[in-house]
């Protein structure tokens, strides 16, 4: 753990003795905690590579928000890998090329619809952090909240489970 020690002198008053006295106040302001506490629980169903980058994004949140934003973007790349979204494409001449993250997000939308805007937002925040060298703490917290919801849905299958529960209740042959 690293941080700053801040010392200040302050006046205090003793009511019993009816006199003022000086005290030294010492405060410790942490800058980093290793390992960093997770912003949200990481699913056991998340790939090892994805979990590694997500943990790094959590850690960097406290010490370098721009780098945390970049790690969120990298995490999205690895999450798309987990769902089999290719990192390469083939052009009209048959040559292989690296797909941009924006293109991979479109491919993900085809196989797992409903998350394009969240992934695009993560890409934009990551790009801003990488190119501007800064990111707002509040924006990163918003990113983590969105990622938590997406992971519950995609990685843990909550939407699929809820859809099955709903279908069971809507089944005309169901007896309640």
């Amino acid at each position: 753990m690293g941080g700053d020690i801040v010392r200040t002198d302050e006046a205090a008053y003793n009511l019993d003795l009816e006199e003022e006295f000086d005290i030294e106040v010492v405060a410790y302001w942490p800058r980093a905690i290793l390992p960093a506490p997770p912003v949200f629980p990481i699913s056991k169903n998340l790939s090892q590579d994805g979990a590694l980058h997500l943990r790094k994004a959590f850690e960097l949140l406290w010490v370098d928000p721009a780098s945390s934003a970049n790690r969120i973007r990298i995490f999205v790349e690895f999450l798309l890998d987990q769902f089999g979204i290719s990192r390469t494409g083939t052009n009209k001449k048959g040559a292989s090329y690296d797909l941009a993250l924006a293109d991979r997000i479109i491919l993900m939308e085809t196989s797992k619809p409903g998350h394009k805007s969240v992934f695009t937002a993560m890409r934009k925040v990551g790009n801003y952090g990488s190119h501007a060298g800064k990111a707002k703490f509040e924006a990163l917290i918003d990113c983590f909240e969105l990622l938590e919801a997406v992971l519950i849905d995609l990685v843990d299958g909550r939407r699929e489970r809820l859809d099955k529960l709903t279908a069971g209740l809507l089944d005309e042959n169901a007896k309640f």
Side-chain angles (χ1 to χ4, degrees), residues 33-154:
I33 300 172
L34 294 173
V39 177
F40 59 83
I42 297 175
S43 172
K44 291 179 174 105
N45 298 325
L46 189 60
S47 73
Q48 211 172 12
D49 288 334
L52 173 90
H53 290 286
L54 188 56
R55 279 189 198 92
K56 195 54 125 168
F58 292 162
E59 178 183 315
L60 291 166
L61 171 66
W62 308 104
V63 294
D64 187 354
S67 294
S68 179
N70 179 262
R71 276 303 170 138
I72 289 170
R73 187 189 188 288
I74 293 168
F75 167 74
V76 170
E77 293 271 12
F78 280 91
L79 183 61
L80 297 180
D81 290 348
Q82 182 169 341
F83 287 99
I85 305 302
S86 181
R87 285 186 181 245
T88 59
T90 306
N91 67 19
K92 292 178 184 178
K93 295 180 180 180
S96 182
Y97 67 96
D98 292 333
L99 287 171
L101 178 55
D103 296 328
R104 293 185 75 209
I105 290 169
I106 291 168
L107 292 174
M108 179 70 170
E109 187 67 14
T110 304
S111 63
K112 299 270 187 187
H115 304 93
K116 180 181 174 188
S117 59
V118 172
F119 289 137
T120 300
M122 300 304 110
R123 180 182 63 82
K124 288 181 74 173
V125 170
N127 287 349
Y128 185 79
S130 296
H131 298 292
K134 58 186 174 182
K136 291 182 179 176
F137 182 84
E138 296 79 13
L140 295 174
I141 294 300
D142 291 346
C143 287
F144 287 130
E145 185 172 349
L146 289 168
L147 283 176
E148 180 180 24
V150 165
L151 292 176
I152 288 169
D153 183 13
L154 286 175

Side-chain angles (χ1 to χ4, degrees), residues 9-25:
D9 292 322
E10 295 186 16
Y13 190 80
N14 185 322
L15 291 174
D16 293 334
L17 299 175
E18 296 182 355
E19 64 182 34
E20 201 173 273
F21 61 97
D22 291 330
I23 60 170
E24 180 183 43
V25 177

